[in-house]
Amino acid sequence: LVATAAALSVMRSAAGRGRLSGTTFRVLALGLLGASAAIFADALYAAGKLALALARGPVVVSPEQVSVVLALAAAWAAGTASYKTLQQHGLPSFKLGIDSQGSPLLSCLALGYLVTSLHSLWWGSVLTLHSPLKLVGALRWFVIAGIAHVCQTAAVAGTKRLASQTYRLLNLGLALDSAARLAVVACVVRSPPAYWCLPALALASSAGGWLAGTLAG
């Protein structure tokens, strides 16, 4: 949720400056649209079950039922705004290169971002399609993967790009998300070492990108 909030903040800032046509913001818009569609579909299904329950008789309103309504509203708002951005500026292009000319360290960061993006696509789809954690899965599938991808292209472009407020905020959100994932793994008794590797790589990449941008700024 922290990384998603960072993405939304970046999009709001770009909209205020009239810069939504940039590739970074179109990638984020596509990610937000995908996540919003998945969350809206799941919330709509839950709302349908709630409507059937109400049709049978009075029910006690629970926080879960209220969250369904809020999820519908939030997903609709974010999805509509993202769709309008893509409708106006077109779909983004994706660059998978990791070679940052003259900087092996930035190339290593770009590789870490690429692995994080691919892992988020895979694990997010698993959570969304095969677990009760639809919200978490959709955000990881689309938003986290999108953030990691745009940070990868920024690392390839160099420290000047990473120094912008946009990428520092995205890196900070990604770092906090990765730290939270590591904390969850730490709470699992006897978790295999493999469970630590990818969250640790994501944390190292995003923290490194944030630090590189901060020092360059």
Side-chain angles (χ1 to χ4, degrees), residues 10-11 21-29 150 153 161 166-167 170:
V10 163
M11 292 295 289
S21 59
T23 300
T24 291
F25 306 111
R26 285 184 289 151
V27 169
L28 294 178
V150 298
T153 60
R161 180 76 64 83
T166 293
Y167 294 103
L170 290 176

Side-chain angles (χ1 to χ4, degrees), residues 52-187:
L52 289 176
L54 288 172
R56 298 190 189 100
V59 297
V60 178
V61 178
S62 67
E64 181 180 357
Q65 293 166 348
V66 174
S67 68
V68 168
V69 177
L70 293 177
L72 281 171
W76 178 264
T80 300
S82 300
Y83 176 79
K84 289 181 178 178
T85 297
L86 295 172
Q87 185 181 44
Q88 182 176 357
H89 301 293
L91 291 172
S93 58
F94 295 90
K95 301 176 182 178
L96 300 180
I98 60 171
D99 184 21
S100 182
Q101 296 296 330
S103 179
L105 178 58
L106 291 181
S107 295
C108 290
L109 288 179
L111 177 60
Y113 287 127
L114 177 60
V115 173
T116 298
S117 180
L118 294 176
H119 175 253
S120 297
L121 286 171
W122 171 72
W123 187 236
S125 65
V126 171
L127 290 176
T128 303
L129 300 175
H130 304 291
S131 83
L133 303 176
K134 308 295 184 185
L135 173 62
V136 175
L139 294 178
R140 184 155 304 282
W141 189 359
F142 296 103
V143 180
I144 301 298
I147 292 174
H149 176 73
V150 298
C151 287
Q152 171 199 334
T153 60
V156 171
T159 54
K160 184 176 180 181
R161 180 76 64 83
L162 287 172
S164 74
Q165 183 64 26
T166 293
Y167 294 103
R168 281 191 288 175
L169 183 57
L170 290 176
N171 269 312
L172 180 59
L174 190 58
L176 292 174
D177 174 79
S178 303
R181 290 167 61 197
L182 280 174
V184 171
V185 172
C187 292

